[in-house]
Amino acid sequence: MGTKEVELVLVKEQNGVQFTNSVLVNSSQTNPDIEERETWSKKIDFLLSVIGFAVDLANVWRFPYLCYKNGGGAFLVPYLFFMIIAGMPLFYMELAIGQFNREGAAGVWKICPIFKGVGFTVILISLYVGFFYNVIIAWAIHYLFSSFTSELPWIHCNNSWNSPNCSETRYYNFSDSGYSYINDSYKVTPAAEYFERGVLHLHESTGINDLGLPRWNLTSCLMVVIVFLYFSLWKGVKTSGKVVWITATMPYVVLTALLLRGITLPGAIDGIKAYLSVDFLQLCKPSVWIDAATQICFSLGVGFGVLIAFSSYNKFTNNCYRDAIITTSVNSLTSFFSGFVIFSFLGYMSQKHNVPISDVAKDGPGLIFIIYPEAIATLPLSSLWAVIFFIMLLTLGIDSAMGGMESVITGLIDEFKFLHRHRELFTLFIVLCTFFICLSCVTNGGIYVFTLLDHFAAGTSILFGVLIEAIGIAWFYGVSRFSDDIKEMIGKRPGLYWRLCWKFVSPCFLLFMVVVSIVSYSSPKYGNYTFPEWANVIGWLLAVSSMAMVPIYAIYKFCTLHGSFREVRNLCFMRYVCILLM
């Protein structure tokens, strides 16, 4: 409920009797700047938005590959273990804190202002991710437009972009990074050359220091993405909540159709068997557990501020606990289901080219822009199946991009209240800034900028942000007070399991992941191209720029508030109590 003011009039009569008269003053009249926060039109709008954000392209191109690489069905053991001890608790925590405080990623830290810097950290990370994520959607649009032909352009080697290395008859392995690369000593498929030469024009660049000008065709596709994002977000959740009815449900329809087609292909069953084959000995390898932990951190979308932003538009009494269970379960089941779709086609490709499945089972954009299109090109009605597939990629990507952009917009307009009155203009400003920076990724050497952003924008920094967020809520704000907040919303306190995870298990898990990500750091590569040292420095500056928000804001707060550390912490608590009493 909004705050209300009461005007009290005291009148003293001559006989000594006092009379009082109270008048309820409408708060919107006394302070025109105070606005009622909008809410989702329907509960399903919120659920579809969260599911659409969490279920993204990585569910298609990464989880199935990790499952195959790390022991098949045995990989589900560490995956589900980390889901239970960290994924669900952190997901639940972000939904609850956003719904209770009804503000974006920075504004929620009114509960303990010393940690507000982590809010700006996650906002910056979401902004950085948008710089390259929108480019993937632009690639999907380019492929979609190219599919409206009687013959797909990546079938033959007689196109203007093909090189003498192109071969239609033999299949050659891809690089370890998941992408193909051009090398004079190897032949490559038409699909690989279409992606790198026909779409990216990579052969016209010598490296990240030779980007060239933006390509007009990819720039046009990028403009389509930006325009769509703007008109989906400019009015807030009232518009974005309707868009996700299509973007969040379409992938399931397409995945089902592709599975029904895939299992009829020769070799599909062998591919599915390879996907599900159980090798428990793989669980003895630390890398398997690290892969599972990393996948949990990134697949659920925790730490991007999106869950906080979306839940801040919920009704105060919404059951966020039930939402957390539903959406995390749907996310994991979608990842597992997509594996059947991917490996049915990979099994077909393995048999068609008479090579082991390990030669075609790769992750990353190389899977969905090279291997999968090549498989589709061999089917009857290949153009139709290509259109269906790239529509799925488009819908998978667009609602995740909408979520990331909403995190930035909501987080900043809640922190700087004057922006509320100019949401349309501010949204336009954000999407235009994103567009101009994305242009560097649609040049001849744009894939190098893309790889650099992908490697540094949301790696160690996102794990660090969630770690500080968990510590701030569990140890400074307090699990007990946080549990009381949840009881005030849904009528009951979280169980002992959730409180233990928030207090001890999840922070320890995140600390472990931060250390592992730093120790196991490796320089980014694209195929056989090694990035120069100055590019790695820029990448680390990008990563550190978001993480630095935490200590910078904390130092600023300590400098502006007098007293000891304990007094500052108590002040944070007193400010929270004052908010509750308003």
Side-chain angles (χ1 to χ4, degrees):
M1 295 180 61
T3 58
K4 298 182 181 298
E5 296 182 7
V6 177
E7 182 180 38
L8 185 64
V9 180
L10 178 63
V11 180
K12 183 176 182 180
E13 297 290 344
Q14 289 183 352
N15 59 5
V17 179
Q18 295 179 342
F19 296 89
T20 60
N21 180 32
S22 61
V23 179
L24 183 62
V25 180
N26 192 330
S27 60
S28 62
Q29 295 176 352
T30 59
N31 188 357
D33 292 336
I34 298 178
E35 298 179 2
E36 186 70 20
R37 189 175 186 83
E38 64 177 326
T39 58
W40 298 96
S41 299
K42 297 178 181 179
K43 174 64 176 290
I44 191 65
D45 293 353
F46 165 71
L47 289 177
L48 288 177
S49 296
V50 174
I51 291 172
F53 166 72
V55 178
D56 65 352
L57 294 169
N59 292 74
V60 174
W61 78 35
R62 182 158 176 79
F63 177 84
Y65 170 73
L66 289 178
C67 198
Y68 165 75
K69 187 183 79 168
N70 294 308
F75 181 71
L76 296 178
V77 174
Y79 179 83
L80 293 177
F81 173 72
F82 288 128
M83 169 69 77
I84 292 172
I85 69 166
M88 284 185 173
L90 294 171
F91 199 96
Y92 181 17
M93 178 185 72
E94 288 205 350
L95 290 185
I97 192 175
Q99 181 174 308
F100 183 82
N101 294 284
R102 310 206 70 189
E103 291 201 47
V108 295
W109 289 102
K110 59 190 177 184
I111 62 176
C112 191
I114 202 72
F115 282 91
K116 181 176 282 190
V118 74
F120 294 113
T121 293
V122 300
I123 289 172
L124 271 180
I125 291 174
S126 291
L127 187 63
Y128 293 161
V129 170
F131 294 158
F132 69 90
Y133 198 87
N134 294 334
V135 176
I136 303 177
I137 307 173
W139 292 343
I141 293 177
H142 185 282
Y143 268 80
L144 177 62
F145 290 158
S146 301
S147 300
F148 287 101
T149 57
S150 58
E151 185 178 77
L152 295 173
W154 53 85
I155 293 180
H156 300 298
C157 290
N158 57 355
N159 302 287
S160 60
W161 57 80
N162 290 126
S163 72
N165 292 332
C166 185
S167 173
E168 299 178 20
T169 57
R170 298 183 64 185
Y171 182 86
Y172 288 86
N173 196 8
F174 291 101
S175 67
D176 293 337
S177 64
Y179 305 91
S180 72
Y181 60 90
I182 304 301
N183 189 299
D184 291 336
S185 61
Y186 294 96
K187 297 293 185 179
V188 291
T189 62
E193 287 214 337
Y194 178 74
F195 178 61
E196 292 202 327
R197 297 174 68 92
V199 177
L200 303 182
H201 287 260
L202 183 59
H203 60 290
E204 299 180 21
S205 172
T206 58
I208 195 170
N209 58 332
D210 180 27
L211 296 180
L213 296 175
R215 308 294 305 184
W216 70 267
N217 48 0
L218 289 180
T219 301
S220 301
C221 295
L222 185 61
M223 288 181 64
V224 172
V225 177
I226 295 300
V227 170
F228 186 88
L229 286 175
Y230 175 71
F231 285 105
S232 298
L233 297 170
W234 70 322
K235 292 294 185 181
V237 296
K238 297 297 184 183
T239 53
S240 63
K242 304 307 177 189
V243 174
V244 293
W245 278 80
I246 298 176
T247 58
T249 57
M250 180 65 73
Y252 294 97
V253 177
V254 177
L255 280 172
T256 303
L258 288 172
L259 178 62
L260 294 176
R261 181 66 183 95
I263 58 177
T264 64
L265 298 173
I269 301 303
D270 294 332
I272 293 176
K273 287 181 179 178
Y275 171 54
L276 296 178
S277 61
V278 178
D279 182 8
F280 285 108
L281 293 178
Q282 291 284 336
L283 299 183
C284 299
K285 298 180 180 179
S287 61
V288 175
W289 293 82
I290 293 174
D291 283 345
T294 304
Q295 179 64 15
I296 285 295
C297 287
F298 294 108
S299 67
L300 293 180
V302 175
F304 290 91
V306 179
L307 303 178
I308 296 175
F310 280 162
S311 62
S312 71
Y313 296 107
N314 276 332
K315 294 180 180 178
F316 186 77
T317 56
N318 174 67
N319 192 336
C320 54
Y321 168 72
R322 182 176 57 197
D323 295 344
I325 299 298
I326 292 174
T327 49
T328 52
S329 300
V330 169
N331 178 274
S332 297
L333 289 174
T334 303
S335 297
F336 187 64
F337 175 68
S338 66
F340 290 90
V341 181
I342 297 299
F343 272 85
S344 63
F345 278 86
L346 293 183
Y348 164 65
M349 290 293 291
S350 172
Q351 179 170 310
K352 177 179 174 59
H353 294 290
N354 195 26
V355 295
I357 290 182
S358 58
D359 283 352
V360 294
K362 300 294 178 182
D363 65 340
L367 172 66
I368 60 175
F369 291 113
I370 298 177
I371 299 177
Y372 220 85
E374 182 183 357
I376 291 175
T378 63
L379 302 177
L381 300 175
S382 58
S383 295
L384 175 61
W385 287 110
V387 168
I388 292 174
F389 176 71
F390 289 110
I391 286 177
M392 180 195 70
L393 293 187
L394 182 60
T395 53
L396 275 174
I398 201 70
D399 44 17
S400 296
M402 286 167 53
M405 199 74 75
E406 184 62 52
S407 170
V408 177
I409 295 169
T410 297
L412 293 178
I413 67 175
D414 283 345
E415 181 63 20
F416 306 102
K417 302 298 184 183
F418 69 93
L419 293 175
H420 270 287
R421 298 189 297 271
H422 310 288
R423 181 184 171 103
E424 293 87 349
L425 289 175
F426 183 65
T427 301
L428 180 62
F429 172 76
I430 293 295
V431 297
L432 285 179
C433 289
T434 301
F435 170 73
F436 287 120
I437 295 178
C438 285
L439 287 178
S440 63
C441 294
V442 295
T443 57
N444 295 336
I447 190 64
Y448 300 122
V449 180
F450 173 91
T451 304
L452 197 70
L453 289 170
D454 185 26
H455 194 82
F456 287 102
T460 303
S461 55
I462 193 70
L463 297 173
F464 172 80
V466 184
L467 171 63
I468 302 302
E469 182 180 282
I471 292 174
I473 293 175
W475 289 90
F476 285 80
Y477 181 56
V479 168
S480 179
R481 284 199 292 271
F482 186 52
S483 300
D484 291 339
D485 296 343
I486 295 176
K487 181 180 179 180
E488 188 177 343
M489 291 188 293
I490 66 177
K492 60 179 181 180
R493 287 169 59 88
L496 178 63
Y497 162 75
W498 298 102
R499 300 198 301 272
L500 287 176
C501 285
W502 289 329
K503 187 82 172 182
F504 302 106
V505 182
S506 295
C508 291
F509 165 80
L510 291 167
L511 180 60
F512 167 76
M513 288 307 303
V514 170
V515 173
V516 167
S517 67
I518 296 174
V519 172
S520 61
Y521 165 77
S522 60
S523 300
K525 288 185 178 181
Y526 180 79
N528 60 350
Y529 177 78
T530 301
F531 284 79
E533 285 301 318
W534 64 264
N536 284 276
V537 171
I538 291 177
W540 273 114
L541 289 176
L542 186 75
V544 172
S545 66
S546 57
M547 293 188 286
M549 292 294 103
V550 175
I552 288 175
Y553 192 87
I555 293 171
Y556 161 76
K557 208 64 185 175
F558 273 114
C559 292
T560 55
L561 294 176
H562 300 288
S564 64
F565 175 79
R566 180 176 296 179
E567 290 171 336
V568 172
R569 187 184 66 178
N570 292 340
L571 178 59
C572 295
F573 171 66
M574 291 304 298
R575 289 184 63 181
Y576 169 69
V577 172
C578 292
I579 292 170
L580 284 181
L581 296 177
M582 288 178 60

